[in-house]
Amino acid sequence: MTPPPPKKKKTTCSDKIWGLMLTCRESCIFSGDLEDLIQAVAKVFEEKCTLAEGQTLSVSCPTNTNIYSKSQKAWQRLKDNGEIQTLAITEGSSQVQVGKYFLEDIPSEGMLQVRMINLQVEDSGLYRCVILGPGDPIILFSPVRLVVTKSSLGPPASDDYPCQTSVQNPTLPPITTKLRPRPRTVTQLIPTPTNSLSSSGFTVTPTNVTRVTRALGISIVIPVACGLLSKTLVFIGLFAITQRSFAS
Amino acid sequence: MSRRCALLVWALLALLGLGVAQKDCGPIVSRQEWKALASRCSQRLRQPVRYVVVSHTAGSVCGTPASCQQQARNVQYYHAQQLGWCDVGYNFLIGEDGLVYEGRGWNTVGAHSGATWNPISIGISFMGNYMDRVPPARALSAAQSLLACGAAQGYLTPNYEVKGHRDVQQTLSPGNQLYKIIQQWPHYRGHTPAPPPRRIQQWVGLEEQ
């Protein structure tokens, strides 16, 4: 396995299989702005939901049957100026309604159900389920990026899964990811780190869908390719032997 | 035999060797193979599924394909005939023989974790009682391969989350020993969201999340 050529920018991540992981990692780290990277890291953990006015947002935030059954849970909105607005809190009771916000805490099932009815365009923004405690709140599920559109998207869906599950990270160049978040792996594979970026040896947890799908694909493609290669070699060998025996 | 004929024969043999169907998450012991009764279930799971719930049957252990097939039938008998469900409750069962047994499969809503979780999760169950023992490595790796393949095939989201049965229901399942093991699995997320790795936090100056 030859080491990848250094500073190979803009490498498409669909090169030869052996070089793929290495060249992709190297070039993918270096391409793209620092700011894009920060934005991507922040955004990579959001769950995007797009709904029309009048529809209902339903979010299921897993808690845990054993640990937080007695704790207070809340639905909060994170404003652009950094302010956190608490919209509803489960005050020891299992169900709470504050205006358009419904919270239903089901400790026996380890789930907090949140509903926002009659959505308006002004409701668009970033929300989250939290467990309130003495210290910092514990964030459940992922922050939800809600986008409410004016136009009706047809009849309201039976809202089990109103949110898209893909992570909002469309145009950013792929960030180094690994299936398992073992931070050491990247530094091991990159031979000559020419940038402090790569030497920090970070990995992004696998919430970047396209990257992880690709990494998963790679982890299946490589054994398949090895199988293909060995079988081809066997075939060629046997063919050569056959030729010799028929030629004589 | 002519030269061309020999060439063709070798080509066909090579192709046979190459031709491994990559569509399924094999090897899984199919329902026909373990002689399951027909399913009467009709509720389809919405895909891709985000959660996987790991449980144990708390019943007998089986160590060979023959005994595990029998055990799978026993579990189905209990669920479908005695409890009156439409089929065995789990989507997949894992035997100590290291094989995965097809239950309701990827596409049908299971009956393993209550009304809140069944429609949003895949339930896999290790056949046995794992309060005081651990499943053998081949069973654990069979389960992990199943899930990895499920994610690769699109049945599970790439960022699927593994939960212990006791995280989502009031139960001892999957048993203390097995629960400890799955908490070490990379996709396990029992309570809080996994924060980004430490290095990113420091490097980009994020405090939390």
Side-chain angles (χ1 to χ4, degrees), chain A residues 34 37-38 41-42 45 47 60 62-68 106-111 113 136-143 158-161 165 167 179-181 183 197 199-207 209 212-213 216 220 224 227-228 231-232 235 238-239 242-243 246, chain B residues 1-3 6-7 10-12 14 17-18 20 22 46-51 113-117 119-121 144 148-149 151-153 157-161 163 165-171 179 186-197 199-200 203-204 206 208-209:
Chain A
L34 186 64
L37 192 63
I38 295 177
V41 169
F45 300 96
E47 188 82 15
S60 300
T63 55
N64 188 289
T65 50
N66 300 311
I67 310 182
Y68 303 119
I106 317 172
S108 62
E109 308 251 298
M111 191 67 92
Q113 305 276 27
D136 290 324
I138 299 168
I139 300 165
L140 299 170
F141 193 56
S142 317
S158 60
D159 288 341
D160 290 340
Y161 274 6
T165 51
V167 170
L179 278 181
R180 322 280 181 251
L197 257 172
S199 65
S200 70
F202 65 83
T203 55
V204 176
T205 52
T207 51
V209 168
V212 171
T213 312
L216 273 165
I220 288 177
V224 169
L228 281 172
K231 286 173 171 80
T232 311
F235 167 68
L238 288 169
F239 178 61
T242 313
Q243 270 221 302
F246 281 139
Chain B
M1 211 155 76
S2 69
R3 209 176 123 195
L7 176 62
W10 287 120
L12 281 171
L18 296 174
V20 176
Q22 286 297 325
R46 224 189 266 224
Q47 276 160 4
V49 178
R50 192 189 179 108
Y51 300 106
S113 303
T116 305
W117 285 92
I120 59 174
S121 63
Q144 291 202 283
C149 181
Q153 297 289 334
T157 61
N159 58 342
Y160 69 90
E161 294 172 24
K163 305 261 178 200
H165 200 196
R166 58 173 66 172
D167 293 328
V168 304
Q169 294 282 277
Q170 308 278 25
T171 177
Y179 185 59
H187 281 263
Y188 178 80
R189 190 169 144 186
H191 2 104
T192 55
R199 288 181 190 243
I200 291 186
W203 184 70
V204 299
L206 291 175
E208 282 180 343
Q209 175 74 23

Side-chain angles (χ1 to χ4, degrees), chain A residues 128-145:
Chain A
R128 64 185 194 183
C129 299
V130 295
I131 294 180
L132 300 174
D136 290 324
I138 299 168
I139 300 165
L140 299 170
F141 193 56
S142 317
V144 174
R145 171 73 62 189

Side-chain angles (χ1 to χ4, degrees), chain B residues 24-35:
Chain B
D24 60 352
C25 281
I28 296 179
V29 180
S30 65
R31 296 176 66 95
Q32 288 99 313
E33 222 178 315
W34 59 269
K35 303 193 187 61

Side-chain angles (χ1 to χ4, degrees), chain B residues 122-146:
Chain B
I122 288 281
I124 69 173
S125 192
F126 286 77
M127 292 195 270
N129 189 317
Y130 299 103
M131 284 299 287
D132 303 315
R133 359 184 344 264
V134 297
R138 59 179 174 270
L140 295 167
S141 65
Q144 291 202 283
S145 298
L146 174 72

Side-chain angles (χ1 to χ4, degrees), chain B residues 95-113:
Chain B
E96 291 207 353
D97 55 351
L99 296 177
V100 176
Y101 290 80
E102 181 189 9
R104 298 199 186 184
W106 296 111
N107 298 314
T108 308
V109 174
H112 46 82
S113 303

Side-chain angles (χ1 to χ4, degrees), chain A residues 70-72 89-94 96:
Chain A
K70 303 276 195 301
S71 308
Q72 279 192 315
I89 304 182
T90 59
E91 302 272 3
S93 62
S94 60
V96 143

Side-chain angles (χ1 to χ4, degrees), chain A residues 42-54:
Chain A
K43 280 197 171 168
V44 97
F45 300 96
E46 287 175 6
E47 188 82 15
K48 189 173 179 203
C49 299
T50 307
L51 291 166
E53 277 202 331

Side-chain angles (χ1 to χ4, degrees), chain A:
Chain A
M1 195 159 61
T2 56
K7 292 203 183 156
K8 198 173 174 186
K9 303 231 182 215
K10 305 286 185 195
T11 308
T12 57
C13 290
S14 52
D15 273 347
K16 293 174 269 185
I17 293 170
W18 285 120
L20 186 97
M21 276 209 269
L22 302 175
T23 50
C24 193
R25 278 180 211 277
E26 204 177 77
S27 62
C28 291
I29 295 175
F30 298 150
S31 57
D33 281 343
L34 186 64
E35 202 162 314
D36 284 345
L37 192 63
I38 295 177
Q39 275 186 358
V41 169
K43 280 197 171 168
V44 97
F45 300 96
E46 287 175 6
E47 188 82 15
K48 189 173 179 203
C49 299
T50 307
L51 291 166
E53 277 202 331
Q55 288 190 312
T56 300
L57 170 70
S58 299
V59 179
S60 300
C61 296
T63 55
N64 188 289
T65 50
N66 300 311
I67 310 182
Y68 303 119
S69 46
K70 303 276 195 301
S71 308
Q72 279 192 315
K73 290 112 187 162
W75 179 244
Q76 297 179 331
R77 180 171 185 168
L78 286 78
K79 306 224 154 157
D80 295 330
N81 57 5
E83 182 197 330
I84 299 173
Q85 182 189 13
T86 299
L87 302 165
I89 304 182
T90 59
E91 302 272 3
S93 62
S94 60
Q95 281 192 25
V96 143
Q97 180 189 352
V98 179
K100 57 166 47 179
Y101 308 105
F102 285 84
L103 288 189
E104 188 180 359
D105 184 17
I106 317 172
S108 62
E109 308 251 298
M111 191 67 92
L112 175 70
Q113 305 276 27
V114 179
R115 268 189 303 284
M116 281 172 65
I117 58 167
N118 195 22
L119 291 171
Q120 302 298 313
V121 176
E122 306 82 64
D123 292 324
S124 301
L126 191 60
Y127 295 84
R128 64 185 194 183
C129 299
V130 295
I131 294 180
L132 300 174
D136 290 324
I138 299 168
I139 300 165
L140 299 170
F141 193 56
S142 317
V144 174
R145 171 73 62 189
L146 175 64
V147 174
V148 185
T149 58
K150 265 262 175 226
S151 58
S152 170
L153 300 174
S158 60
D159 288 341
D160 290 340
Y161 274 6
C163 296
Q164 303 168 18
T165 51
S166 64
V167 170
Q168 178 193 351
N169 196 357
T171 55
L172 191 75
I175 299 173
T176 304
T177 58
K178 190 80 167 89
L179 278 181
R180 322 280 181 251
R182 275 183 243 125
R184 289 186 57 234
T185 318
V186 174
T187 44
Q188 282 170 8
L189 284 179
I190 294 177
T192 52
T194 54
N195 190 314
S196 62
L197 257 172
S198 65
S199 65
S200 70
F202 65 83
T203 55
V204 176
T205 52
T207 51
N208 186 333
V209 168
T210 41
R211 292 305 302 139
V212 171
T213 312
R214 188 160 280 167
L216 273 165
I218 290 169
S219 68
I220 288 177
V221 162
I222 288 181
V224 169
C226 282
L228 281 172
L229 189 67
S230 57
K231 286 173 171 80
T232 311
L233 288 170
V234 169
F235 167 68
I236 290 170
L238 288 169
F239 178 61
I241 294 172
T242 313
Q243 270 221 302
R244 201 170 291 172
S245 66
F246 281 139
S248 63

